[in-house]
Amino acid sequence: MAGSTERALGVPRVLEPTGVLPQAAQRLDASPEIGPDEVRIAVERLNLDAASFRQLSEAHHGDGAAVRAAVLEIVRTRGKMQNPVTGSGGMLIGTVDAVGPESPLGLRVGDRVATLVSLTLTPLSLSDGLARWDGRSEQVPAEGTAILFARSIAAVLPADLPDAVSLAVLDVCGAPAATARVVERAGARSVVVLGAAGKSGCLSLAAARAAGATELTGLVRDEAEAAALRATGLADRVVVADATDPLAVAAAVGTPADVTVVCVDVPGAEHGAILATADGGTVVFFSMATSFPAAALGAEGMAADVTMLVGNGYTPGHAALALGLYRSAPGVRALIEPRIHP
Ligand code: NAP
């Protein structure tokens, strides 16, 4: 019989290898029967994380049916949606349909919720073959069941926003929270965001401004994104460069910033981000496509005295902060809405 800490962390759901927590597991038990401190959710929609969806799309040359088959196979074999190449997942929304008597999450049957823990550790079983999904968007209409542990988090969906919006914003809500925290703690003035016209990017710009930063630079990949970002006024300066080309990033950014936030969904942005950051500054690697060796060894090789943070998807208050920015910043809405497929 598992101890309460083990149960709270979902350890009894780990099938292989034994001795790891669910996030590191190869395979989870996704059966719908719940333990006394678990919650079962009737799944309505998944949000695949951007790095994972891009990798799957590129690997299958944009063939939606093949992407759908790949996602089904991952969930079938792993009992969770964890892309084996990127290691990343996403999150989901659904309706609570069973609550164990010892669950501390405060959820009730019938609550419509977004899970704020990654799909990479959420036991998931799909029952509809993802028949309503064309494999061409990050948001996946789905039927099945998901399990939350005692030590999970979920947010009741706000009534004033469409589900697709809440899902997209909550998926990346760790980014603005991390940005705000770093800017506030460091008293940072200048901030560069790589991938600034994307979902986490524009939220991070808005969060940096609200936290007191006064020189905001948004780096985007092309003129179309630059025009869209300029129109929002979220950044004081918009520059165009390939985030995976370090010298191009350094040239475009110019004077390095106090804080750099990496919000692209492609690998290879580590060295540009380090070059964009002043000595004594901080890089927040929110992107799941970040390589720890590339960041650590790259900084060492450039003798760059920067603090590098892994973008923890959880910060207390992160969901409310991101939804608040979405509601209050028209520029954030203007950039996120076109990215959402209802
Ligand atoms: P998104 O909305 O797709 O935004 C990514 C942006 O980066 C897009 O504007 C994209 O441009 C741009 N971009 C891509 N390649 C680029 C390049 N070479 N140079 C410059 N810009 C480039 O993605 P998101 O949902 O904000 O997610 C961003 C990252 O956060 C992903 O890596 C995701 O995995 C990660 N994430 C992390 C957590 C966490 O807990 N740490 C949670 C969720 C997501 P195009 O649109 O033109 O391609």
Side-chain angles (χ1 to χ4, degrees), residues 49 54 199-200 221 225 242-243 264 286-288 311 313 339:
D49 119 279
R54 180 183 284 268
K199 296 183 291 294
S200 57
R221 76 142 111 221
E225 280 201 331
D242 177 353
V264 295
F286 187 69
S287 168
M288 283 293 148
R339 290 180 177 271

Side-chain angles (χ1 to χ4, degrees), residues 217-297:
T217 299
L219 183 142
V220 296
R221 76 142 111 221
D222 58 29
E223 279 304 332
E225 280 201 331
L229 181 58
R230 277 192 199 103
T232 66
L234 289 171
D236 302 303
R237 194 165 66 104
V238 177
V239 298
V240 177
D242 177 353
T244 67
D245 179 340
L247 298 179
V249 171
V253 168
T255 306
D258 299 330
V259 175
T260 300
V261 189
V262 181
C263 291
V264 295
D265 56 347
V266 290
E270 299 84 0
H271 297 169
I274 292 164
L275 286 176
T277 311
D279 266 1
T282 302
V283 185
V284 180
F285 285 109
F286 187 69
S287 168
M288 283 293 148
T290 302
S291 155
F292 175 74
L297 300 175

Side-chain angles (χ1 to χ4, degrees), residues 1-2 9 25-26 32 95 99 125 132 138-139 142 146 173 189 221 230 241 281 295 306 317:
M1 188 73 183
L9 294 168
Q26 184 58 32
T95 302
V99 178
S125 162
R132 288 177 293 136
E138 288 169 16
Q139 293 208 2
C173 66
R189 296 174 59 81
R221 76 142 111 221
R230 277 192 199 103
V306 293

Side-chain angles (χ1 to χ4, degrees), residues 145-338:
T145 55
I147 306 296
L148 292 179
F149 312 130
R151 206 161 148 184
S152 299
I153 33 172
V156 175
L157 284 167
D160 64 323
L161 295 173
D163 288 352
V165 166
S166 300
L167 189 54
V169 170
L170 292 173
D171 180 46
V172 295
C173 66
T179 303
R181 180 183 268 191
V182 169
V183 167
E184 274 162 17
R185 286 190 178 168
R189 296 174 59 81
S190 55
V191 176
V192 172
V193 177
L194 307 187
K199 296 183 291 294
S200 57
C202 68
L203 282 162
S204 297
L205 280 174
R209 178 90 71 201
T214 50
E215 297 163 40
L216 301 186
T217 299
L219 183 142
V220 296
R221 76 142 111 221
D222 58 29
E223 279 304 332
E225 280 201 331
L229 181 58
R230 277 192 199 103
T232 66
L234 289 171
D236 302 303
R237 194 165 66 104
V238 177
V239 298
V240 177
D242 177 353
T244 67
D245 179 340
L247 298 179
V249 171
V253 168
T255 306
D258 299 330
V259 175
T260 300
V261 189
V262 181
C263 291
V264 295
D265 56 347
V266 290
E270 299 84 0
H271 297 169
I274 292 164
L275 286 176
T277 311
D279 266 1
T282 302
V283 185
V284 180
F285 285 109
F286 187 69
S287 168
M288 283 293 148
T290 302
S291 155
F292 175 74
L297 300 175
E300 177 193 285
M302 290 180 246
D305 176 18
V306 293
T307 299
M308 297 189 289
L309 301 179
V310 177
N312 179 352
Y314 175 69
T315 305
H318 60 342
L321 175 74
L323 291 170
L325 290 169
Y326 185 87
R327 291 187 184 101
S328 62
V332 169
R333 288 203 296 281
L335 289 170
I336 291 183
E337 265 169 16

